[in-house]
Amino acid sequence: MINDIEVIKTKSSKINEVDFDNLKFGSVFSDHMLVCDYKNGKWQAPKVMPYQGITLDPSAKIFHYGQSVFEGMKAYKDAEDNVWLFRPLDNCKRLNISSKRLAIPELPEDYFMEGLKALLEVDKDWIPKKDGSSLYIRPFVFASGEGFHASPADEYKFLICTAPSGSYFSGEVKVLIEEKYSRSANGGVGFAKAGGNYAGQFYPTQLAKEKGYQQVIWTDDNTHEYIEEAGAMNIFVRINDTLITGPTSDRILDGITRKSIIELAKAEGINVDVRKLRVDEVVEAAKNGSLKEMFGAGTAAVISPIAGFGYKGEDYDLPKMDDTYANFLKKRITDIQTNKAEDPFGWRYKL
């Protein structure tokens, strides 16, 4: 266990310069950050310090071999100014699963949780209360050890930075089902939140945007016959009254929002089917009218509805509905996250 975490407070807060009514996602950063170094074979004492730049040697291995993993979380304030997290231990566990796959030393749970608590305590005034807003939390680990030789680094940095943010997405998106490029492959690192996974998505997404779409639906690496993820999010498809999502694998991230939607939907009596879903099945459902909804699920947006999709040169629009699973499930989850509803699942974590 770690002892008390050293806190070095900023001499000049930036909080009065921030327009909390007009927050873009992840573009304004709070006063402080948590920093913890791995050296001499062990993690050193974490400390909270003013948000600032990082100096690295040009030979730092993060620049050359990409050892970098991250998480995404949020902190919320309720009407009484209580601060809440949502399933934070799952984020800690997944960070270590990702780290292990990239040969990064795993972080002790108390370093993660106690460090996060210390950071949020000093920056609690940065947590917005406006509906749809939250304090986005970005824990990440990267290789700071030096050398051009292709091997794991001997030193790493773990940081947590935070950003008060408004809603991640507004409105519905139109997506293109990918037929050529792959997000990940069997035996690879698709299940990890590795920075390189996202770098590899940018180019195919750029091509889709040039065709008039906002995002890509990723398909399997071998045949491109099965739907797997939506951009940087897990994907759900509603055919008639059944909600379908693919099983986790080497290629699909074990999303915390995904797990929550599955559990919540089942508790609400919605039929959930976790199975491989063929692209042809989705196209046929769109043609015969049984395709009711598609939506992405992830920490930043919670749920992002999909208005239509393109595949093999044809576009398919989804029906306009008032009573969508997407809206219902998003409200149920966000009400739990912000302490507006009971939490029968034990997901909410009070600081």
Side-chain angles (χ1 to χ4, degrees):
M1 296 292 290
I2 56 174
N3 297 318
D4 291 341
I5 294 173
E6 180 183 3
V7 176
I8 305 168
K9 291 189 177 181
T10 183
K11 294 179 180 178
S12 179
S13 175
K14 309 183 297 288
I15 196 166
N16 291 328
E17 303 170 12
V18 177
D19 181 0
F20 279 85
D21 291 324
N22 294 284
L23 290 169
K24 292 183 179 180
F25 179 82
S27 59
V28 175
F29 304 99
S30 312
D31 282 331
H32 299 88
M33 63 185 188
L34 181 86
V35 180
C36 183
D37 289 304
Y38 180 91
K39 57 179 61 176
N40 300 321
K42 64 178 182 179
W43 287 102
Q44 309 298 305
K47 60 183 177 181
V48 174
M49 62 176 62
Y51 185 90
Q52 59 192 271
I54 300 169
T55 300
L56 293 172
D57 192 275
S59 70
K61 290 199 172 184
I62 177 58
F63 300 133
H64 307 280
Y65 304 111
Q67 278 183 290
S68 173
V69 298
F70 69 95
E71 276 297 318
M73 311 168 60
K74 288 179 179 178
Y76 310 85
K77 268 186 183 172
D78 64 18
E80 284 73 43
D81 281 345
N82 296 307
V83 177
W84 301 91
L85 298 171
F86 186 72
R87 306 185 72 166
L89 293 175
D90 286 345
N91 289 102
C92 179
K93 179 180 178 181
R94 190 172 62 183
L95 183 72
N96 279 333
I97 289 172
S98 299
S99 293
K100 184 176 182 179
R101 180 60 181 83
L102 269 72
I104 296 172
E106 296 176 48
L107 186 79
E109 183 181 288
D110 59 320
Y111 279 49
F112 184 97
M113 290 302 300
E114 297 305 317
L116 179 56
K117 290 177 187 177
L119 177 61
L120 294 181
E121 176 60 32
V122 72
D123 273 350
K124 60 186 175 184
D125 291 342
W126 284 85
I127 306 173
K129 292 179 65 174
K130 183 179 179 181
D131 279 352
S133 298
S134 59
L135 185 71
Y136 185 79
I137 302 167
R138 173 54 60 86
F140 59 105
V141 186
F142 65 90
S144 56
E146 301 166 5
F148 289 151
H149 47 290
S151 62
D154 56 1
E155 294 185 0
Y156 298 85
K157 279 187 177 291
F158 166 62
L159 287 87
I160 304 179
C161 300
T162 64
S165 299
S167 298
Y168 187 53
F169 287 118
S170 58
E172 297 172 323
V173 296
K174 189 177 178 183
V175 299
L176 179 66
I177 296 179
E178 184 57 54
E179 300 175 56
K180 176 181 179 181
Y181 296 99
S182 298
R183 175 188 171 274
S184 57
N186 287 331
V189 297
F191 67 91
K193 283 190 74 70
N197 288 347
Y198 299 82
Q201 294 184 34
F202 295 154
Y203 177 65
T205 303
Q206 180 182 314
L207 296 179
K209 287 180 177 179
E210 291 172 359
K211 295 177 181 178
Y213 303 91
Q214 287 78 50
Q215 197 48 267
V216 166
I217 296 293
W218 299 105
T219 51
D220 68 285
D221 63 308
N222 187 25
T223 64
H224 296 288
E225 293 178 359
Y226 296 94
I227 281 180
E228 296 201 333
E229 291 203 349
M233 309 174 78
N234 294 119
I235 186 169
F236 286 82
V237 176
R238 176 184 173 185
I239 297 178
N240 291 318
D241 290 331
T242 297
L243 200 56
I244 306 167
T245 192
T248 55
S249 67
D250 287 349
R251 302 184 309 276
I252 297 179
L253 183 72
D254 186 12
I256 293 166
T257 305
R258 172 191 176 276
K259 292 191 290 189
S260 304
I261 288 172
I262 292 171
E263 194 169 346
L264 179 59
K266 288 180 177 178
E268 294 289 345
I270 296 171
N271 187 34
V272 180
D273 199 357
V274 179
R275 63 172 174 84
K276 294 174 70 174
L277 178 62
R278 293 178 63 92
V279 176
D280 289 349
E281 183 180 351
V282 176
V283 171
E284 179 57 31
K287 290 179 177 178
N288 65 30
S290 60
L291 178 64
K292 305 300 183 185
E293 298 179 66
M294 297 172 66
F295 55 84
T299 297
V302 184
I303 287 176
S304 181
I306 294 170
F309 67 90
Y311 182 63
K312 291 190 180 297
E314 291 194 37
D315 284 334
Y316 302 87
D317 293 324
L318 275 76
K320 301 291 184 181
M321 299 170 57
D322 295 325
D323 55 340
T324 64
Y325 287 172
N327 289 339
F328 173 74
L329 293 169
K330 182 172 184 175
K331 185 176 188 307
R332 288 286 287 112
I333 289 177
T334 54
D335 282 353
I336 290 173
Q337 290 172 333
T338 55
N339 197 31
K340 293 178 181 177
E342 292 297 316
D343 175 19
F345 308 99
W347 293 335
R348 202 162 49 217
Y349 186 100
K350 186 177 182 181
L351 292 182

